[in-house]
Amino acid sequence: MDPAGHVDPARPPRLRPGDTVAVVATSWGGPRVFPHVFDRGLDVLRRVFELDVRELPTTRMTPAVLRADPRARARDLNDAFADPSIRAIFAAIGGDDAVRILPFLDPSLAMADPKILFGFSDTVTQLVFYHRAGLVTFNGPSVMAGFAQIEVFPGAADHVRSILFEPAQTHLYAPFDSWVDGYADWADPANAGAVGELRAHDGWRWLQGSGVAPGRLFGGCGEVLEMLKATPSWPEPSFWDGRLFFIETSEDAPTPDTVSYWLRNYGMQGVFERISGLLVGRARGYSDEAKARLDELVVRVVAEEFGRPDLPIVSNLDFGHTDPQWVLPLGVLAEVDADAHSIRLLEPAVR
């Protein structure tokens, strides 16, 4: 139990070359629409990470069939957790309706055999669901959006290894040298692993706060968290005590004002009174002016409206819907040092 009174969540075993991993399509049927991008991502898992990849039955079904059958999508996830030969589960890609599968998931299967659950965007529904059941889960690249393109970015594959394969006692997060705001046109098979224009890293933004703030990581895509609010998976007030809350925006590029409305709701839940820090991912599809406006509104809501000018807030961080992105493990103890301008994990995410 940590200083905030939270029980240490179950950590899955670390990955090793040769391990069998499952790939699931619990949201949108992207593998059927852009099979060349999906196959590129599978190749990276096999060739770069030396994993044995197994596709589950619904993975290449059409988007229409998947949308019509949330039970089938949930069944693949239940089966993957129930299979002792599978050591990790990777999301093919995100989407917009995975919250519909949650009533059909069996968390006892995950707790009986903890394994790595990995993805971002709409997969946050499942990351939160299983984390609330007691499992460390992993916000990071999906097969099609992240792994398929990972070789473009020096150090990105090594970062994944440092969290999942070769964990140290602590891990210092570092900025990647460059980033992209999207991919080359997926309709062209030649672009299976291609990205948009490379941009030089434009710096983290330390908006307020001082000192060292420890806490267990929790968060994800802002739009998806909105879908979870008031459902059985949404955290109770005490859950937020001492958390390091991270949030980012999707390729839909909600306006800065819309993000401020989300944050105002967190304030009304009492979240800003309880958390130890706020981490904001680099916003995809935003102009420099929109990013500055977002920073301004985040500070206004947290500091002025809800009285937390002391809360450490950092924005423009290397996670979310731009590439490359960090792996952020939900439930693992981390710290933000607002004086040293550093962010680190204080313990391994896997055992």
Side-chain angles (χ1 to χ4, degrees):
M1 188 171 289
D2 65 24
H6 299 299
V7 175
D8 197 22
R11 286 166 173 72
R14 70 181 181 94
L15 279 179
R16 304 171 187 271
D19 278 352
T20 298
V21 300
V23 175
V24 295
T26 52
S27 296
W28 175 58
R32 181 65 170 265
V33 180
F34 300 111
H36 44 285
V37 179
F38 182 55
D39 288 338
R40 169 76 179 201
L42 298 182
D43 174 65
V44 167
L45 292 179
R46 291 176 174 127
R47 176 173 48 82
V48 175
F49 295 97
E50 302 178 67
L51 297 169
D52 176 34
V53 180
R54 185 184 306 169
E55 297 177 42
L56 293 195
T58 66
T59 306
R60 292 189 191 247
M61 288 184 176
T62 67
V65 170
L66 286 179
R67 180 171 288 276
D69 197 350
R71 286 180 182 270
R73 289 181 271 159
R75 186 181 309 117
D76 273 1
L77 204 46
N78 287 333
D79 289 348
F81 273 113
D83 187 335
S85 70
I86 291 173
R87 299 319 317 151
I89 305 166
F90 289 83
I93 197 167
D96 62 13
D97 81 323
V99 70
R100 296 171 59 223
I101 78 172
L102 300 188
F104 311 115
L105 296 179
D106 183 352
S108 69
L109 297 172
M111 298 313 298
D113 183 15
K115 55 193 68 175
I116 291 165
L117 179 63
F118 200 94
F120 77 114
S121 193
D122 204 32
T123 309
V124 166
T125 54
Q126 297 124 82
L127 301 183
V128 170
F129 176 88
Y130 286 108
H131 176 55
R132 297 280 290 124
L135 181 68
V136 169
T137 57
F138 297 82
N139 193 102
S142 67
V143 174
M144 295 178 68
F147 280 112
Q149 305 82 17
I150 203 168
E151 292 177 286
V152 172
F153 305 103
D158 286 339
H159 171 70
V160 173
R161 289 191 190 94
S162 71
I163 304 293
L164 301 186
F165 289 77
E166 304 157 0
Q169 286 302 115
T170 65
H171 175 85
L172 180 66
Y173 284 101
F176 295 106
D177 292 337
S178 60
W179 63 282
V180 296
D181 211 28
Y183 307 122
D185 183 6
W186 281 1
D188 183 350
N191 290 331
V195 298
E197 176 189 1
L198 285 171
R199 309 182 187 194
H201 194 278
D202 48 352
W204 304 345
R205 300 174 182 175
W206 294 81
L207 303 182
Q208 65 170 44
S210 62
V212 178
R216 293 195 182 275
L217 287 167
F218 178 78
C221 176
E223 291 97 320
V224 177
L225 293 173
E226 288 298 300
M227 296 184 218
L228 283 168
K229 284 180 178 177
T231 71
S233 294
W234 193 246
E236 67 281 356
S238 62
F239 173 90
W240 296 96
D241 289 342
R243 299 281 171 179
L244 279 177
F245 180 38
F246 65 92
I247 190 169
E248 51 95 6
T249 53
S250 79
E251 73 277 14
D252 292 341
T255 67
D257 288 283
T258 297
V259 177
S260 76
Y261 305 154
W262 301 345
L263 294 176
R264 190 167 291 123
N265 178 274
Y266 286 104
M268 292 304 297
Q269 293 182 56
V271 168
F272 300 132
E273 300 171 14
R274 295 174 176 270
I275 61 174
S276 60
L278 177 62
L279 311 179
V280 183
R282 183 188 289 113
R284 179 169 165 179
Y286 274 38
S287 65
D288 290 342
E289 293 75 17
K291 289 180 180 180
R293 175 64 174 164
L294 178 62
D295 288 347
E296 174 191 346
L297 290 174
V298 169
V299 172
R300 177 189 297 177
V301 171
V302 175
E304 298 178 18
E305 296 182 8
F306 291 96
R308 288 300 309 271
D310 59 312
L311 185 73
I313 304 177
V314 196
S315 72
N316 209 44
L317 293 171
D318 301 57
F319 67 88
H321 280 70
T322 62
D323 285 82
Q325 62 168 295
W326 291 337
V327 178
L328 295 172
L330 279 70
V332 169
L333 193 63
E335 74 172 19
V336 173
D337 188 331
D339 298 330
H341 287 188
S342 67
I343 302 169
R344 71 175 67 237
L345 298 180
L346 298 178
E347 57 190 8
V350 292
R351 53 182 170 82

